[in-house]
Amino acid sequence: MGAKFKRFKREPLLPILIVLVMLSLLVFIVYPLFQIFKSSFVTTDGMFNFDGYKRVLSGGGLFTALTNSLVLAFLSATLSTVIAYLFAYTFAYVKVPFKRLFNGIAILPIISPPFVIALSAMLLLGKQGLITKNLLGLDNANIYGLHGLVLVQTLSFFPIAFLTLSGLLRSISPSLEEASQNMGANKLKTFVTVTLPLSVPGIANAFLLVFVQSLADFGNPMTIGGNYSTVAREIYLQAVGSYNMQSGAALAIVLLTVTLIVYVLQKFWVGKKSYVTVTGKPTGQRRLIESGPIKMILFAFCIIMSCIVIAFYALVPIGSFIKLWGINNSFTLDHYKYVFSIGQKAMKDTLTLALIATPISGLLGMIIAFLIVRKKFLGKKALEIISMLSIAVPGTVIGIGYILSFNKAPLALTGTAVIIIAAFVIRAMPVGIRSGIAALQQIDPSIEEAATNLGAKQAKVFTSVVLPLIKSAFFSGLVNSFVKSMTAMSAVIFLISAKYNLITASILAQVEAGRIGVASAYCTILIIIMIIAMILLNLLVKWMSGPRRTT
Amino acid sequence: MAKTVSLKQISKAFTDDKGKLTYAVEKVNLEIEAGQFVTLLGPSGCGKTTTLRMIAGFEDITSGDIFFGDENVNEVPPNKRDCTMVFQSYALFPHLNVFENIAYGLRIKKLSQEAIRKKVESVLNIMNLNDYLERMPSQLSGGQQQRVALARALVMEPGVLLFDEPLSNLDAKLRVVMRDEIRRIQQQIGITTVYVTHDQSEAMSMSDMIIVMNKGKIEQMGSPMEIYQRPKTKFVADFIGSANFVEGVVKGIDNGRLLIETHSGILKVRRDGFKIGQAVTVVIRPEAVTLTKGTTHLGKITKSIFMGQTQEYEVEYDGQHLQITEHNPIQEHVFQVGHEVSLQFSEDSLHII
């Protein structure tokens, strides 16, 4: 005890920091989840019963939403994984031109606002769609519903699967496949008996990641779900639409349970099964497939997919200049005029709040990562678990949790900027924590000890050694939290008020009112803001690291 | 200024998963004179690195006291202790160039730009690193990185210099070069040095004093020659060089030589301090035996390997296999597997524990 106190006196910063971090996670993650749990058993008049769960599981509309979500998630995850595997395989095994371009296109949907693809789907395949009406001459095409959702989610989420799979395929040692060929197997046999089995854990991993994303998806079901109701949407409608908090909370708990199960499955069961060990040593160069039908097929596939993605992205800016898509195709700036007058406030609010949330979540992510990787303290395990599981908490769940928790004293935060910023930070932070942990684990702890040994204090060690070494993780954490905050919807849709409106909510309102042109203009502006912000952030980081001191 | 270091009854205990207390280091006492080069030697897990890290302040001590000179440093945080360390992985700051790596500690001390430049330059001269100032650590070879790590520690002019297996990442030839260089610089500056290694040839060639550790305790300490020639325990005899052990009983004393009765005859050993009737273990170094075609102490060759400088034999003798080394083997005199040989023990080289 005495020794611990002395250490506290020596380094008071660290314990204070730990307490602050723990407190903020408790207030903004654990407490809201607890509130949902509690509310799911309590009626509006304060009675305790199981009505909420009865409604969810009794086979009515809420139960349909649950099964719908699972069907949708299964379809989207399967399709995404197949497409991502083909892409990733082409990258790792085939010699094709434009690899960088394909790569950029494949990860583009990760950073784009959630509506872009849904909007384009309407413009392309809707009732007035470019393809459906103009090309195919269909009069009554309907993009709304399961098929539209599968299309849109697949295009939005296959990049997540792609990143997982391409990392895995690249790290399979070529010598294993060479050994197989050396023992007489042909290329197909080698693929079926070596490459494919080795990539099974990665495939399962990718599938589950997309599955969770699809379950938690809010934006797409809201825009093109049509009559196909899904869980995330239903939670919102229950809570905000019909103000049935008990049912909403019960549904949220069910959704949370499913995503947590899938996440734990992905993390511990599939994760453990991986055969590939990442050593950081480059494996030998793989001999790429240079010709033949396989190459041709895969190359054609990549080109077609890229064209589709590009088409989906090009259409939104185009649509923003068209008066009434499919009916009156004349050029207009009206949508932008509208956005810059009525929508100005939403843009300003979003930008301000995102700019405040970005550094907080970036720094907090790195600090939590540092605490988890390098420090020993009471409650560390809890911190690790909370920050890890928070990745799996769907935005809608956070949203309903926040209105349940922060509506009344002592934490009456609803309607304030604080609550929206908190939601931004909590939603963006897990990714930052994860990349921070990955970056720190690469760094030999004795480098920090060396700094201490040469006289640096804790804070100095962190700023002069740790931070510069995890600079790129920190930077990508900043970019990620800015992008996430600017495009956030599922959690914050519960929290907006007359005082603070957000672009994403405005887009949703425009889509619901059928003003696709205005929605497209909002989206286009959002994309432009994000591109500019990323360039600025990049320059800022370059300027901060500055020219190296030499004398 | 070189400082003395003393460890008084220091222990480091961990509680394992089952809540059991285990000692990584247990009641270690050690007095290191100013300017002395002391090596902590032992197998992995013996507590040598933990001891070093307690001296540096990276591990809290469970009990005991550590002194630098007259100052008890138990409560001095690691960044305020007057000792610098060369790490096993070198731990160079990958984002700083050679100059900045070496200057890091001086900048923490807030020395003037001019003073920093002077100090860094003088240490660069000693280390032959003048041409690499601007290089990043990733652009240096292993040996150069090692030098930078040493320079970074030396430039602080610490009272004590610590090394944690610094040569284990270098190839065999470079290791010999670097160990000579470390010893040369240490002698030149006259700095108190604590060096951790599991490599006995490093320990032998560099140290004024070797501390052999095992299971958290000191097995033996002494000069390299003492440790090799007069090991106190089987562990030390076996760990330093290689050794054969033959059990026996003291039968008599003849002219200052002990007569040890073993299963296959009497061995004569020039040692004292043992009583007649006492059970003892005779330590036989591989080079303490010569093989001839005589008739006493007969054995049979079970292995014979030509190594260049030496011929390595395994001889079945007294129901056990002895390792025997013959230097400068000459082809005609080499025994082959199956040959009967006579073992001649050099009575000055045998040792008893």
Side-chain angles (χ1 to χ4, degrees), chain A residues 6-7 10 444 446-447 449-457 460-461 464-465 468-469 548-551, chain B residues 53 58 60 75 77 79 83-85 87 89 91-95 99-100 104-105 107-108 113 134 152 156:
Chain A
K6 273 173 202 147
R7 209 182 313 161
R10 223 152 67 192
D444 182 356
S446 52
I447 291 180
E449 285 178 358
T452 307
N453 182 250
L454 293 167
K457 284 186 186 157
K460 182 81 184 170
V461 173
S464 72
V465 177
L469 291 180
R548 234 167 231 125
R549 291 182 301 177
T550 43
T551 48
Chain B
R53 290 171 61 82
F58 292 129
D60 290 329
E75 297 304 329
N79 56 326
C83 59
T84 53
M85 181 151 162
F87 291 82
S89 58
L92 298 181
F93 304 123
H95 58 303
F99 184 95
E100 284 302 326
Y104 184 89
R107 290 199 193 281
I108 300 273
Q113 200 73 346
E134 307 268 333
R152 187 176 68 177
M156 300 299 288

Side-chain angles (χ1 to χ4, degrees), chain A residues 304-494:
Chain A
I304 292 167
M305 278 305 295
S306 302
C307 288
I308 293 174
V309 172
I310 290 173
F312 269 78
Y313 278 91
L315 230 54
V316 168
I318 294 172
S320 69
F321 290 108
I322 303 260
K323 209 155 206 155
L324 197 55
W325 186 267
I327 293 168
N328 179 357
N329 284 339
S330 55
F331 177 86
T332 180
L333 287 174
D334 287 354
H335 304 318
Y336 284 95
K337 279 181 196 145
Y338 179 89
V339 167
F340 280 110
S341 54
I342 308 224
Q344 209 181 17
K345 179 171 162 46
M347 286 200 290
K348 219 180 82 193
D349 287 351
T350 312
L351 202 57
T352 317
L353 296 177
L355 282 177
I356 297 171
T358 298
I360 297 176
S361 113
L363 210 58
L364 203 57
M366 290 304 124
I367 288 172
I368 291 178
F370 181 70
L371 292 178
I372 288 176
V373 177
R374 288 288 197 264
K375 296 292 163 194
K376 285 191 192 126
F377 52 89
L378 197 72
K380 173 175 160 168
K381 202 76 207 163
L383 178 69
E384 233 180 309
I385 291 171
I386 294 170
S387 56
M388 200 170 72
L389 290 184
S390 62
I391 296 183
V393 179
T396 358
V397 174
I398 290 278
I400 191 172
Y402 277 21
I403 44 172
L404 287 171
S405 309
F406 303 120
N407 245 344
K408 47 193 182 295
L411 291 164
L413 298 172
T414 330
T416 64
V418 174
I419 189 76
I420 297 178
I421 292 171
F424 282 169
V425 170
I426 293 298
R427 294 286 291 149
M429 201 175 54
V431 177
I433 296 177
R434 221 165 32 172
S435 61
I437 287 178
L440 279 169
Q441 280 169 342
Q442 307 265 313
I443 301 170
D444 182 356
S446 52
I447 291 180
E448 287 149 54
E449 285 178 358
T452 307
N453 182 250
L454 293 167
K457 284 186 186 157
Q458 281 281 347
K460 182 81 184 170
V461 173
F462 190 78
T463 53
S464 72
V465 177
V466 179
L467 216 46
L469 291 180
I470 57 174
K471 198 172 61 190
S472 69
F474 178 60
F475 172 63
S476 67
L478 284 182
V479 170
N480 164 70
S481 51
F482 183 73
V483 168
K484 269 250 171 102
S485 302
M486 288 297 288
T487 62
M489 178 160 70
S490 53
V492 288
I493 192 94
F494 291 83

Side-chain angles (χ1 to χ4, degrees), chain A residues 150-166:
Chain A
V150 171
L151 171 77
V152 168
Q153 285 197 342
T154 303
L155 281 177
S156 308
F157 299 145
F158 90 87
I160 301 167
F162 169 73
L163 287 182
T164 311
L165 286 169
S166 73

Side-chain angles (χ1 to χ4, degrees), chain A residues 89 181 185-193 195 287-289:
Chain A
Y89 186 84
Q181 289 179 11
N186 63 21
K187 285 214 170 87
L188 181 66
K189 187 93 183 154
T190 300
F191 177 77
V192 174
T193 55
T195 315
R287 273 184 57 201
L288 300 177
I289 301 171

